[in-house]
Amino acid sequence: MIILKQLLCFGDSNTWGLIPKTNERYPWGVRWTSILQEKLQNVRILEEGLCGRTTIFDDAYRKNRNGLESLPEILESNYPIDAAIIMLGTNDCKSYYNSNPFKIAKGLGLCIDEFSKYISPEKILVVSPIFLGENVWKEEYDPEFDTNSIKTAKSLHNEYKRIAYENNTNIISAADYVQPSETDQEHLTAQGHKILANAIFNAVVSASIV
C-alpha cells in the first residue's frame, strides 16, 4: 500500500479559489491548490481555504473566520499532516480590524505555533499574500477595505519574514509573482492561480518541504 504524504493548504478566498466579482469557485484544475496537486504526484493536497478568513480576528458579519480558532480542529481532523502552506493576511487589512502589519504578523506567528504542534517548522511554507488593487476600497469593489488597507498589505511581507525567521519556517511573497485581478482588485485570475502554483511548487521542492 502506498501511503501519500499530506500537505495542508490553509488560507482565505485566494486559497479557496474565488472567481473575481462572483461568489463562485474556480474548478479543479484551475485553482492553485489543484494545480499543485497535479504537480506533486506523491502528495495529497488538503484544501482548507475559506473566504474572509483572518489570522486571529473575529468577523462580526461572518462567523467562524478566525484562523487561529479553527486550526486545532482542522489539524486534528486531518492528522497526520506532513507539511503545510499558510497564506493569510489580506482580510486582516480590512478597516474593521484597525490593525497594522506588525499585529497581523503576530497573528500569523500564533498560527505557526499551532501548526508546530503537528509539523516541524522546516516543513511549513509561509506565503505572504498578494497586494490589494489601488481601487479596492471603492464602492464598486470592496468598501470593507480603505486606502490604508492598501499600504498595510504592501508592508506585510517584511513583517512576515521576521516571523518566519524567528520560527525557522520557509517563506515566499505571492506579490513577487502575481497581482490581483482588475475585475475586483483583490482576487486572483485563472492565470494568476497558475503562476502562483508554479511559484509555490518551486518553493516546496527547493526547500524539500514534502
Side-chain angles (χ1 to χ4, degrees):
M1 180 177 66
I2 298 175
I3 300 176
L4 298 179
K5 291 184 177 180
Q6 299 207 106
L7 172 57
L8 178 69
C9 297
F10 187 68
D12 53 31
S13 53
N14 273 319
T15 297
W16 186 77
L18 184 71
I19 300 173
K21 214 71 171 177
T22 75
N23 292 317
E24 300 300 318
R25 188 183 195 185
Y26 283 119
W28 184 266
V30 177
R31 54 187 186 266
W32 71 261
T33 46
S34 66
I35 298 172
L36 186 63
Q37 174 69 88
E38 292 167 358
K39 289 176 172 292
L40 295 171
Q41 296 294 320
N42 63 331
V43 175
R44 177 184 289 117
I45 297 295
L46 305 173
E47 295 183 295
E48 283 291 349
L50 179 67
C51 297
R53 178 176 280 152
T54 67
T55 57
I56 59 170
F57 298 115
D58 295 315
D59 189 332
Y61 306 106
R62 287 189 288 182
K63 301 299 182 183
N64 305 314
R65 306 294 149 164
N66 185 318
L68 182 62
E69 287 188 352
S70 66
L71 261 178
E73 182 178 355
I74 289 172
L75 290 167
E76 186 175 349
S77 64
N78 285 295
Y79 181 86
I81 299 169
D82 299 284
I85 297 168
I86 177 170
M87 185 170 69
L88 285 176
T90 297
N91 292 299
D92 303 57
C93 297
K94 292 177 179 178
S95 58
Y96 173 80
Y97 301 118
N98 192 31
S99 194
N100 60 47
F102 178 80
K103 293 178 182 178
I104 296 170
K106 285 192 70 174
L108 175 79
L110 292 175
C111 291
I112 292 173
D113 289 343
E114 201 63 41
F115 272 117
S116 297
K117 295 176 182 178
Y118 291 82
I119 308 165
S120 299
E122 68 272 12
K123 298 297 183 179
I124 298 172
L125 174 64
V126 173
V127 182
S128 60
I130 62 173
F131 295 157
L132 292 165
E134 295 297 324
N135 296 309
V136 68
W137 56 273
K138 293 183 178 180
E139 185 176 355
E140 62 267 33
Y141 297 115
D142 194 343
E144 290 191 53
F145 296 102
D146 59 16
T147 54
N148 191 59
S149 302
I150 300 167
K151 298 175 185 177
T152 300
K154 288 181 178 179
S155 300
L156 285 180
H157 183 63
N158 285 337
E159 293 294 336
Y160 277 26
K161 278 198 300 185
R162 177 178 56 81
I163 295 295
Y165 294 155
E166 288 176 359
N167 288 277
N168 297 312
T169 69
N170 302 280
I171 184 169
I172 64 170
S173 172
D176 284 348
Y177 304 94
V178 286
Q179 298 298 321
S181 71
E182 292 293 333
T183 307
D184 74 354
Q185 305 281 302
E186 61 180 302
H187 293 103
L188 293 170
T189 63
Q191 180 65 13
H193 275 269
K194 182 177 181 180
I195 294 170
L196 182 60
N198 288 332
I200 290 176
F201 171 75
N202 290 334
V204 166
V205 171
S206 64
S208 299
I209 291 174
V210 289

